[in-house]
Amino acid sequence: MTLPNVFVTRKIPENGLELLRSRAKVRVSDQDRPLTRQELLLAVREADGVIGLLSDRIDAEFFDAASRLRGYANYAVGYDNIDVAEATRRGIPVSNTPDVLTKATAELAWALIFAAARRVVETDGVMRSGLWPGWGPLQFIGADVSGKTLGIVGAGRIGTATAMMSRGFDMRVLYLESPSGRRNPALDDTLGAECVPFDRLLAESDFVSVHCPLTPDTRHLFDMDAFRKMKNSAVLVNTARGPVIKEDDLVRALRSGEIAAAGLDVYENEPRMAEGLAALSNAVLLPHVGSATRSSREAMADLAARNLLAMLSGQKPPTCLNPKVLGLS
């Protein structure tokens, strides 16, 4: 039996590659960076299946180049890089990797909350500089977390996990009402959380943690108008998608004191940042490491591989985004 050809656009943990090699001919990009558009289109020409990253744009041009493609597996939970409708029109199943990185990303949101609130990165820099003169009662005053109000924008898997972790800090929890009006019983019943409109969440939250997907409705959800509705003492954290925040406006808001601080793991134009952001001491800036624990990254590799192998055998992948193309729902 002829084994299918699989292309992996960047090296992933070995456990996923070993699984793929048991049932396919596997070629992995030898570049430890995102492929250029032309490199990607050339590399997928003979592929029956592809595992790619959030940085790979999967659209009509990609599908035209990958004319033999029988399935695409995203090594990410987000999938705004995939034109799912186009894949469905062409009968190509696509998948993502939800659940396996939920706790890791929620934990990182909390790392950013505390780092921004207690000025961890800023004060670490002072200590490393050798210029700290010694303890003083008015130095490096930060914000309390315990007993404050946490606003969750996007109460899905990761947003829910982040909110649940607030129990140890006796926080009041607000979460953004969905367009469908659907509530989150876990947050309602366990935390006594309140489902509120966006403006109220902005006005009452001391910490706002962003976990929503990137859609036309959420792009630039946080702009200067939104920042003006927040408390001047508020901290904004984003572990979701960079373009949910209008980054130039965030720089202005942090410079002017419209909000107190921000903690970011994602950026509007990754890997670039908005001009001036890197110079701000009230911004904690991480290089998209929300899922960067060994167990999470290996679980992502395993799930992506199982998704793709299922597609190549005509079966429903565990986390398919368009199962109807396989005659399933």
Side-chain angles (χ1 to χ4, degrees):
M1 182 179 70
T2 302
L3 295 177
N5 292 316
V6 167
F7 179 65
V8 183
T9 68
R10 193 167 181 179
K11 186 171 174 57
I12 61 175
E14 192 62 30
N15 64 301
L17 296 177
E18 288 179 359
L19 181 56
L20 289 170
R21 290 182 183 122
S22 69
R23 293 169 52 189
K25 296 177 184 177
V26 180
R27 186 165 58 94
V28 182
S29 171
D30 58 3
Q31 302 295 325
D32 189 20
R33 56 167 174 77
L35 295 177
T36 67
R37 186 63 172 172
Q38 286 309 117
E39 287 172 337
L40 175 65
L41 297 180
L42 182 63
V44 300
R45 289 171 63 181
E46 303 300 319
D48 299 296
V50 173
I51 290 182
L53 310 184
L54 190 66
S55 53
D56 301 317
R57 192 169 75 253
I58 309 304
D59 56 9
E61 184 182 38
F62 173 90
F63 295 127
D64 285 342
S67 58
R68 292 174 43 172
L69 195 69
R70 290 153 51 194
Y72 172 81
N74 222 32
Y75 184 78
V77 62
Y79 53 91
D80 47 276
N81 62 309
I82 307 172
D83 188 337
V84 178
E86 180 64 18
T88 301
R89 188 181 72 79
R90 294 175 183 240
I92 299 171
V94 294
S95 65
N96 64 338
T97 60
D99 297 319
V100 295
L101 48 72
T102 296
K103 288 185 179 179
T105 307
E107 289 171 355
L108 190 80
W110 278 98
L112 287 169
I113 286 171
F114 277 104
R118 297 303 300 271
R119 303 170 65 174
V120 170
V121 176
E122 176 188 359
T123 52
D124 175 87
V126 171
M127 197 67 202
R128 291 175 188 274
S129 73
L131 300 177
W132 182 52
W135 188 87
L138 299 181
Q139 291 177 354
F140 310 122
I141 304 299
D144 293 307
V145 174
S146 295
K148 298 298 184 179
T149 298
L150 172 65
I152 298 291
V153 176
R157 296 178 184 90
I158 298 172
T160 297
T162 302
M164 289 296 187
M165 291 176 186
S166 73
R167 285 177 288 183
F169 307 106
D170 193 29
M171 299 182 82
R172 174 187 177 223
V173 175
L174 307 177
Y175 66 95
L176 183 62
E177 61 184 12
S178 67
S180 66
R182 185 175 59 189
R183 301 179 68 88
N184 186 317
L187 296 186
D188 293 346
D189 298 342
T190 305
L191 301 179
E194 296 179 70
C195 180
V196 298
F198 188 51
D199 285 358
R200 183 178 166 195
L201 185 144
L202 295 177
E204 298 184 17
S205 296
D206 299 294
F207 299 90
V208 176
S209 192
V210 181
H211 303 283
C212 58
L214 178 62
T215 68
D217 289 336
T218 63
R219 183 177 292 273
H220 290 174
L221 180 65
F222 286 86
D223 58 9
M224 189 54 68
D225 181 60
F227 297 135
R228 292 190 180 108
K229 294 173 182 176
M230 295 171 69
K231 296 180 179 181
N232 295 140
S233 57
V235 173
L236 175 66
V237 165
N238 188 10
T239 55
R241 288 291 174 261
V244 174
I245 297 175
K246 190 174 183 181
E247 215 163 278
D248 287 335
D249 284 5
L250 177 63
V251 171
R252 291 169 53 203
L254 290 170
R255 279 176 175 165
S256 67
E258 202 70 59
I259 63 172
L264 305 179
D265 187 45
V266 290
Y267 303 88
E268 187 173 358
N269 296 294
E270 289 187 23
R272 300 185 307 279
M273 292 184 290
E275 185 176 354
L277 184 59
L280 296 174
S281 62
N282 56 344
V284 178
L285 308 172
L286 302 181
H288 205 146
V289 293
S291 63
T293 67
R294 187 178 304 277
S295 62
S296 292
R297 291 286 171 85
E298 289 182 349
M300 291 169 66
D302 177 79
L303 181 53
R306 288 191 291 115
N307 274 324
L308 189 60
L309 290 174
M311 295 175 197
L312 293 175
S313 63
Q315 299 174 344
K316 181 182 177 181
T319 55
C320 190
L321 295 169
N322 56 348
K324 289 183 179 180
V325 302
L326 297 169
L328 302 167
S329 60

Coordinates of all heavy atoms in Angstrom, one line a residue, residues 234-303:
A234 N -7.0 50.1 35.7 CA -7.3 48.8 35.1 C -6.0 48.2 34.5 O -5.2 48.9 33.9 CB -8.4 48.9 34.1
V235 N -6.0 46.9 34.5 CA -5.0 46.1 33.8 C -5.6 45.3 32.7 O -6.6 44.6 33.0 CB -4.2 45.2 34.8 CG1 -3.2 44.3 34.0 CG2 -3.4 46.1 35.8
L236 N -5.1 45.3 31.5 CA -5.6 44.6 30.4 C -4.6 43.5 30.0 O -3.4 43.7 29.8 CB -5.8 45.5 29.1 CG -6.3 44.8 27.8 CD1 -7.7 44.2 28.0 CD2 -6.2 45.8 26.7
V237 N -5.1 42.2 29.9 CA -4.3 41.1 29.5 C -4.9 40.4 28.3 O -6.1 40.2 28.2 CB -4.3 40.1 30.7 CG1 -3.7 38.7 30.3 CG2 -3.4 40.7 31.9
N238 N -4.0 40.1 27.4 CA -4.5 39.4 26.1 C -3.6 38.2 25.8 O -2.4 38.3 25.6 CB -4.4 40.4 24.9 CG -5.0 39.8 23.7 OD1 -5.7 38.7 23.7 ND2 -4.9 40.4 22.6
T239 N -4.3 37.0 25.9 CA -3.6 35.7 25.5 C -4.4 35.1 24.4 O -4.2 33.9 24.1 CB -3.5 34.8 26.7 OG1 -4.9 34.5 27.2 CG2 -2.6 35.3 27.8
A240 N -5.2 35.9 23.7 CA -6.1 35.3 22.7 C -5.5 35.6 21.3 O -4.7 34.8 20.8 CB -7.5 36.0 22.8
R241 N -5.9 36.7 20.6 CA -5.4 37.0 19.3 C -5.1 38.5 19.3 O -5.9 39.4 19.8 CB -6.4 36.7 18.2 CG -6.6 35.2 17.9 CD -5.3 34.7 17.3 NE -5.4 33.2 17.1 CZ -4.8 32.4 18.0 NH1 -4.1 32.8 19.0 NH2 -4.8 31.1 17.7
G242 N -3.9 38.9 18.8 CA -3.4 40.2 18.8 C -4.4 41.3 18.2 O -4.6 42.3 18.9
P243 N -5.0 41.0 17.1 CA -5.8 42.1 16.5 C -7.1 42.4 17.2 O -7.8 43.3 16.8 CB -6.1 41.5 15.1 CG -5.0 40.6 14.8 CD -4.7 40.0 16.1
V244 N -7.4 41.7 18.3 CA -8.5 42.1 19.1 C -8.3 43.4 19.7 O -9.2 44.2 20.0 CB -8.8 41.0 20.2 CG1 -9.9 41.5 21.2 CG2 -9.2 39.7 19.6
I245 N -7.0 43.8 19.9 CA -6.6 45.1 20.4 C -6.0 45.9 19.3 O -5.2 45.5 18.5 CB -5.6 44.9 21.5 CG1 -6.2 44.2 22.7 CG2 -5.0 46.3 22.0 CD1 -5.2 43.8 23.8
K246 N -6.5 47.1 19.2 CA -5.9 48.1 18.3 C -4.6 48.6 19.0 O -4.6 49.5 19.9 CB -6.8 49.3 18.0 CG -6.4 50.2 16.8 CD -7.4 51.2 16.5 CE -7.0 52.0 15.3 NZ -8.0 53.0 14.9
E247 N -3.5 48.1 18.6 CA -2.2 48.2 19.3 C -1.7 49.7 19.4 O -1.2 50.1 20.4 CB -1.2 47.3 18.7 CG -0.2 46.7 19.7 CD 0.6 45.6 19.2 OE1 0.0 44.5 19.1 OE2 1.7 45.8 18.7
D248 N -1.9 50.5 18.3 CA -1.5 51.9 18.4 C -2.3 52.6 19.5 O -1.7 53.4 20.2 CB -1.7 52.6 17.1 CG -0.6 52.1 16.0 OD1 0.5 51.7 16.4 OD2 -0.9 52.2 14.8
D249 N -3.6 52.3 19.6 CA -4.4 52.9 20.6 C -4.0 52.5 22.0 O -4.0 53.2 23.0 CB -5.9 52.6 20.4 CG -6.5 53.4 19.2 OD1 -5.7 54.1 18.6 OD2 -7.7 53.3 19.0
L250 N -3.6 51.2 22.1 CA -3.1 50.7 23.4 C -1.9 51.5 23.9 O -1.8 51.9 25.1 CB -2.8 49.2 23.4 CG -2.2 48.6 24.6 CD1 -3.2 48.7 25.8 CD2 -1.8 47.2 24.4
V251 N -1.0 51.7 23.0 CA 0.2 52.5 23.3 C -0.2 53.9 23.8 O 0.4 54.3 24.9 CB 1.2 52.6 22.1 CG1 2.3 53.6 22.4 CG2 1.7 51.2 21.7
R252 N -1.1 54.5 23.1 CA -1.5 55.8 23.6 C -2.2 55.8 25.0 O -2.0 56.6 25.8 CB -2.5 56.4 22.6 CG -1.9 56.8 21.2 CD -3.0 57.1 20.2 NE -4.0 58.0 20.7 CZ -5.2 58.2 20.2 NH1 -5.7 57.3 19.3 NH2 -6.0 59.1 20.7
A253 N -3.0 54.7 25.2 CA -3.7 54.6 26.5 C -2.7 54.3 27.6 O -2.9 54.9 28.7 CB -4.7 53.5 26.4
L254 N -1.7 53.6 27.4 CA -0.7 53.3 28.4 C 0.2 54.5 28.7 O 0.5 54.8 29.8 CB 0.2 52.1 28.0 CG -0.6 50.7 28.0 CD1 0.3 49.7 27.3 CD2 -0.9 50.3 29.4
R255 N 0.5 55.2 27.6 CA 1.3 56.5 27.8 C 0.6 57.5 28.6 O 1.1 58.2 29.4 CB 1.7 57.0 26.5 CG 2.9 56.3 25.8 CD 3.1 56.9 24.4 NE 4.3 56.4 23.8 CZ 4.6 56.5 22.5 NH1 3.7 57.2 21.7 NH2 5.7 56.0 22.0
S256 N -0.7 57.7 28.3 CA -1.5 58.8 28.9 C -2.1 58.4 30.2 O -2.6 59.3 30.9 CB -2.7 59.1 27.9 OG -3.6 58.0 27.9
G257 N -2.0 57.2 30.6 CA -2.6 56.8 31.9 C -4.1 56.5 31.8 O -4.8 56.4 32.8
E258 N -4.6 56.3 30.6 CA -6.0 56.0 30.4 C -6.3 54.6 31.1 O -7.3 54.4 31.7 CB -6.3 55.9 28.9 CG -7.8 56.0 28.6 CD -8.3 57.5 28.8 OE1 -7.7 58.4 28.2 OE2 -9.2 57.6 29.6
I259 N -5.3 53.7 31.0 CA -5.3 52.5 31.8 C -4.0 52.3 32.4 O -3.0 52.9 32.0 CB -5.7 51.2 31.0 CG1 -4.7 50.9 29.9 CG2 -7.1 51.3 30.4 CD1 -4.9 49.6 29.2
A260 N -3.9 51.5 33.5 CA -2.6 51.4 34.2 C -1.6 50.6 33.6 O -0.4 50.9 33.7 CB -2.9 51.0 35.7
A261 N -2.0 49.4 33.1 CA -0.9 48.5 32.6 C -1.6 47.5 31.6 O -2.8 47.3 31.6 CB -0.3 47.8 33.8
A262 N -0.7 46.8 31.0 CA -1.2 45.7 30.1 C -0.2 44.6 30.1 O 1.0 44.8 30.3 CB -1.3 46.2 28.6
G263 N -0.7 43.4 29.9 CA 0.2 42.2 29.7 C -0.2 41.5 28.4 O -1.4 41.1 28.3
L264 N 0.7 41.3 27.5 CA 0.4 40.8 26.2 C 1.2 39.6 25.9 O 2.4 39.6 26.1 CB 0.7 41.9 25.1 CG 0.0 43.2 25.3 CD1 0.4 44.1 24.1 CD2 -1.6 43.1 25.3
D265 N 0.6 38.6 25.3 CA 1.3 37.4 24.8 C 1.1 37.3 23.3 O 1.7 36.5 22.6 CB 0.7 36.1 25.4 CG 1.5 34.9 25.1 OD1 2.8 35.0 25.1 OD2 0.9 33.9 24.7
V266 N 0.2 38.2 22.7 CA -0.1 38.2 21.3 C -0.1 39.6 20.8 O -0.4 40.5 21.6 CB -1.4 37.4 21.0 CG1 -1.3 35.9 21.2 CG2 -2.5 38.0 21.8
Y267 N 0.1 39.8 19.5 CA 0.2 41.1 18.9 C -0.5 41.3 17.6 O -0.7 40.3 16.9 CB 1.8 41.4 18.7 CG 2.5 41.2 20.1 CD1 3.0 40.0 20.4 CD2 2.5 42.3 21.0 CE1 3.5 39.8 21.7 CE2 3.1 42.1 22.2 CZ 3.6 40.9 22.6 OH 4.2 40.7 23.8
E268 N -0.8 42.5 17.3 CA -1.6 42.8 16.1 C -0.9 42.3 14.8 O -1.6 41.8 13.9 CB -2.0 44.2 16.1 CG -3.0 44.6 15.0 CD -3.5 46.0 15.0 OE1 -3.1 46.8 16.0 OE2 -4.3 46.4 14.2
N269 N 0.4 42.5 14.8 CA 1.1 42.2 13.5 C 2.3 41.4 13.9 O 3.5 41.8 13.6 CB 1.5 43.5 12.8 CG 0.3 44.3 12.3 OD1 -0.4 43.8 11.4 ND2 0.1 45.5 12.9
E270 N 2.1 40.2 14.5 CA 3.2 39.4 15.0 C 4.1 39.0 13.8 O 3.7 38.8 12.7 CB 2.7 38.1 15.6 CG 2.0 38.3 16.9 CD 1.6 36.9 17.6 OE1 2.2 35.9 17.2 OE2 0.7 37.0 18.4
P271 N 5.5 39.0 14.1 CA 6.1 39.2 15.4 C 6.4 40.7 15.7 O 7.1 41.0 16.7 CB 7.4 38.4 15.2 CG 7.7 38.6 13.8 CD 6.4 38.6 13.0
R272 N 6.0 41.6 14.9 CA 6.2 43.0 15.1 C 5.3 43.6 16.2 O 4.2 43.1 16.3 CB 6.1 43.9 13.8 CG 7.0 43.4 12.7 CD 6.9 44.3 11.5 NE 5.5 44.5 11.0 CZ 4.9 43.7 10.3 NH1 5.5 42.5 9.9 NH2 3.7 43.9 9.9
M273 N 5.8 44.6 16.9 CA 4.9 45.3 17.8 C 4.7 46.7 17.4 O 5.5 47.3 16.6 CB 5.6 45.4 19.2 CG 5.8 44.0 19.9 SD 6.5 44.2 21.6 CE 8.2 44.7 21.1
A274 N 3.6 47.3 17.9 CA 3.4 48.7 17.5 C 4.5 49.6 18.0 O 5.1 49.3 19.0 CB 2.1 49.2 18.2
E275 N 4.8 50.7 17.3 CA 5.8 51.6 17.6 C 5.6 52.1 19.0 O 4.5 52.6 19.3 CB 5.9 52.7 16.6 CG 7.1 53.6 16.8 CD 7.2 54.7 15.8 OE1 6.5 54.6 14.8 OE2 8.1 55.6 15.9
G276 N 6.6 52.1 19.9 CA 6.6 52.6 21.2 C 6.2 51.6 22.3 O 6.4 51.9 23.5
L277 N 5.6 50.5 21.9 CA 5.1 49.6 22.9 C 6.3 49.0 23.7 O 6.2 48.9 25.0 CB 4.4 48.4 22.2 CG 3.7 47.4 23.1 CD1 2.7 48.0 24.1 CD2 3.0 46.3 22.3
A278 N 7.4 48.7 23.1 CA 8.5 48.0 23.8 C 9.1 49.0 24.8 O 9.8 48.5 25.8 CB 9.6 47.6 22.8
A279 N 9.0 50.3 24.6 CA 9.6 51.2 25.6 C 8.8 51.5 26.8 O 9.3 52.1 27.8 CB 9.8 52.5 24.8
L280 N 7.6 50.9 26.9 CA 6.7 51.2 28.0 C 6.9 50.3 29.2 O 6.9 49.1 29.1 CB 5.2 51.1 27.6 CG 4.7 52.1 26.5 CD1 3.3 51.7 26.0 CD2 4.8 53.5 27.0
S281 N 7.2 50.9 30.3 CA 7.5 50.1 31.5 C 6.2 49.5 32.1 O 6.3 48.5 32.9 CB 8.2 51.0 32.6 OG 7.3 52.0 33.0
N282 N 5.1 50.0 31.7 CA 3.8 49.5 32.2 C 3.2 48.4 31.3 O 2.0 48.2 31.3 CB 2.8 50.6 32.6 CG 2.5 51.5 31.4 OD1 3.2 51.5 30.4 ND2 1.4 52.3 31.5
A283 N 4.0 47.9 30.4 CA 3.6 46.8 29.5 C 4.5 45.6 29.7 O 5.7 45.7 29.6 CB 3.6 47.2 28.0
V284 N 3.9 44.4 30.0 CA 4.6 43.2 30.1 C 4.4 42.5 28.8 O 3.3 42.2 28.3 CB 4.1 42.3 31.2 CG1 4.8 41.0 31.3 CG2 4.2 43.1 32.6
L285 N 5.5 42.1 28.1 CA 5.4 41.6 26.7 C 6.1 40.3 26.6 O 7.3 40.1 26.8 CB 6.1 42.7 25.8 CG 5.7 44.1 26.0 CD1 6.6 45.1 25.2 CD2 4.2 44.2 25.5
L286 N 5.3 39.3 26.2 CA 5.8 37.9 26.0 C 5.7 37.5 24.6 O 4.8 37.9 23.9 CB 5.0 37.0 26.9 CG 5.0 37.2 28.4 CD1 4.2 36.2 29.2 CD2 6.4 37.3 29.0
P287 N 6.5 36.6 24.1 CA 6.5 36.2 22.7 C 5.6 35.0 22.4 O 6.1 33.9 22.0 CB 8.0 35.8 22.5 CG 8.5 35.3 23.8 CD 7.7 36.0 24.8
H288 N 4.3 35.1 22.6 CA 3.3 34.1 22.2 C 3.7 32.7 22.8 O 3.9 31.8 22.1 CB 3.2 34.0 20.7 CG 1.8 33.5 20.3 ND1 1.2 33.9 19.1 CD2 1.0 32.6 20.8 CE1 0.0 33.3 19.0 NE2 -0.1 32.5 20.1
V289 N 3.7 32.7 24.1 CA 4.1 31.5 24.8 C 3.0 30.8 25.6 O 3.2 30.0 26.5 CB 5.3 31.7 25.7 CG1 6.5 32.1 24.9 CG2 5.0 32.8 26.8
G290 N 1.7 31.2 25.3 CA 0.6 30.7 26.1 C 0.5 29.2 26.2 O 0.1 28.7 27.3
S291 N 0.9 28.5 25.2 CA 0.8 27.0 25.2 C 2.1 26.4 25.5 O 2.3 25.2 25.4 CB 0.2 26.5 23.9 OG 1.1 26.8 22.8
A292 N 3.1 27.2 25.8 CA 4.5 26.7 25.9 C 4.9 26.0 27.2 O 5.7 26.4 28.0 CB 5.5 27.8 25.6
T293 N 4.2 24.9 27.4 CA 4.6 23.9 28.4 C 4.9 22.6 27.7 O 4.3 22.3 26.6 CB 3.6 23.7 29.5 OG1 2.4 23.0 29.0 CG2 3.2 25.0 30.2
R294 N 5.7 21.8 28.2 CA 6.1 20.5 27.5 C 4.8 19.7 27.3 O 4.6 19.2 26.2 CB 7.1 19.8 28.3 CG 7.7 18.5 27.6 CD 8.7 17.8 28.4 NE 9.8 18.7 28.7 CZ 10.8 19.0 27.9 NH1 10.9 18.5 26.7 NH2 11.8 19.9 28.3
S295 N 4.0 19.5 28.3 CA 2.9 18.6 28.2 C 1.9 19.2 27.1 O 1.3 18.4 26.3 CB 2.2 18.4 29.5 OG 1.7 19.6 30.0
S296 N 1.7 20.5 27.1 CA 0.7 21.1 26.2 C 1.2 21.0 24.8 O 0.4 20.6 23.9 CB 0.4 22.6 26.5 OG -0.2 22.7 27.8
R297 N 2.4 21.3 24.5 CA 2.9 21.3 23.1 C 3.0 19.8 22.6 O 2.7 19.6 21.4 CB 4.3 21.9 23.1 CG 4.3 23.4 23.3 CD 3.8 24.2 22.1 NE 3.5 25.6 22.3 CZ 4.5 26.5 22.2 NH1 5.7 26.2 21.9 NH2 4.2 27.8 22.5
E298 N 3.3 18.9 23.5 CA 3.3 17.5 23.0 C 1.9 17.0 22.8 O 1.6 16.2 21.9 CB 4.0 16.6 24.1 CG 5.5 16.8 24.1 CD 6.2 15.9 25.1 OE1 5.5 15.2 25.9 OE2 7.4 15.8 25.1
A299 N 0.9 17.4 23.6 CA -0.5 17.1 23.4 C -1.0 17.7 22.1 O -1.8 17.0 21.4 CB -1.3 17.5 24.6
M300 N -0.6 18.9 21.8 CA -1.0 19.5 20.6 C -0.5 18.7 19.4 O -1.2 18.5 18.4 CB -0.5 21.0 20.5 CG -1.1 21.9 21.5 SD -0.3 23.5 21.6 CE -0.5 24.1 19.9
A301 N 0.8 18.3 19.5 CA 1.4 17.5 18.4 C 0.7 16.2 18.2 O 0.4 15.8 17.1 CB 2.9 17.2 18.7
D302 N 0.3 15.5 19.3 CA -0.4 14.2 19.2 C -1.8 14.4 18.6 O -2.2 13.7 17.7 CB -0.6 13.7 20.6 CG -1.4 12.4 20.6 OD1 -0.9 11.3 20.3 OD2 -2.6 12.5 21.0
L303 N -2.5 15.5 19.0 CA -3.8 15.7 18.5 C -3.8 16.1 17.0 O -4.6 15.6 16.2 CB -4.5 16.8 19.3 CG -6.0 17.1 18.9 CD1 -6.9 15.9 18.9 CD2 -6.6 18.2 19.9

